[in-house]
Amino acid sequence: MPDTEQDARSGRLSDPDVEARLARLDELLAGLESAPGPTVRSALEAVRLLTEVYGEALGRVLDRADGELTARLAEDELVGHLLVLHEIHPEPAERRAARAVERLRPAVRERGGDVEWMGLEEQVARVRVTTGGGGCGSGCGGATDDVTGAVRAAVLAAAPELAAVEAVPGASERQTAPAFVPLETLARRGAPRSQGPR
């Protein structure tokens, strides 16, 4: 990714500038959609037509790109989102979702947890989420929910055609059952001690 200084020299937008413009665009479109009148309908149609034309242009770029360029375009966060938006992303949804999980992994590990891609089953992404051990006990539920929510948002942003994201219990969650104790051990413990022959 180019840094902000390089972006300024080349006249390109930095990632935060792109995000700010996308957020503002969402606000404007939401406002237009709730406003009545033929002018608003015309404005929304203009946005839709412009989006379709830009999508066609992106598709033509991909048609003419070799494999290496296609991969580099798909890896760029902004271009990748546009390719997803226009349903022309060259990678399958499963690969995009797995990459989104891997991108989050370092941040989750910094907080003592982990997130792991477990695969796709019938358009449902399966992800194992664990939070830091450290004896957090029952207080970890909120942290797990926060991480799971972030993972869900990232996966569905990368692959919106997926139906859902399912959290698979991590190792710490699966080990909450009591340890197995053989029945004969319990029987021996509960039996009165022998006092010898009577």
Side-chain angles (χ1 to χ4, degrees):
M1 286 262 171
D3 62 19
T4 306
E5 190 176 314
Q6 182 180 348
D7 291 339
R9 285 195 309 264
S10 65
R12 306 292 292 274
L13 295 174
S14 66
D15 286 347
D17 289 336
V18 169
E19 290 169 13
R21 282 163 171 76
L22 289 174
R24 179 63 179 145
L25 179 60
D26 284 343
E27 289 174 15
L28 291 170
L29 288 175
L32 281 173
E33 286 170 354
S34 64
T39 303
V40 170
R41 285 194 298 273
S42 296
L44 290 172
E45 183 181 2
V47 170
R48 182 182 57 78
L49 292 172
L50 186 60
T51 302
E52 288 176 4
V53 171
Y54 282 173
E56 176 61 21
L58 271 172
R60 292 182 185 194
V61 167
L62 289 185
D63 289 346
R64 288 160 177 78
D66 62 18
E68 183 182 340
L69 178 58
T70 299
R72 288 174 56 206
L73 290 170
E75 286 173 5
D76 182 272
E77 190 173 355
L78 176 59
V79 176
H81 282 303
L82 289 174
L83 296 174
V84 168
L85 174 70
H86 294 289
E87 300 177 357
I88 55 174
H89 202 289
E91 289 183 325
E94 182 169 7
R95 191 176 306 159
R96 284 180 270 133
R99 186 184 304 118
V101 170
E102 285 305 312
R103 284 181 177 159
L104 282 177
R105 199 169 200 187
V108 175
R109 283 183 167 174
E110 279 181 15
R111 290 161 180 77
D114 200 6
V115 59
E116 182 182 0
W117 175 254
M118 301 303 293
L120 195 62
E121 288 183 15
E122 298 180 2
Q123 293 301 97
V124 175
R126 295 173 49 83
V127 180
R128 177 173 292 142
V129 177
T130 54
T131 54
C136 65
S138 61
C140 290
T144 302
D145 291 345
D146 291 346
V147 172
T148 301
V151 170
R152 181 174 288 115
V155 167
L156 293 177
E161 62 268 50
L162 296 182
V165 179
E166 178 182 301
V168 177
S172 59
E173 288 88 345
R174 286 199 310 272
Q175 293 173 357
T176 55
F180 174 74
V181 178
L183 184 58
E184 57 271 10
T185 304
L186 291 175
R188 275 197 304 262
R189 285 183 185 168
R193 292 188 177 208
S194 173
Q195 304 289 328
R198 292 184 184 197

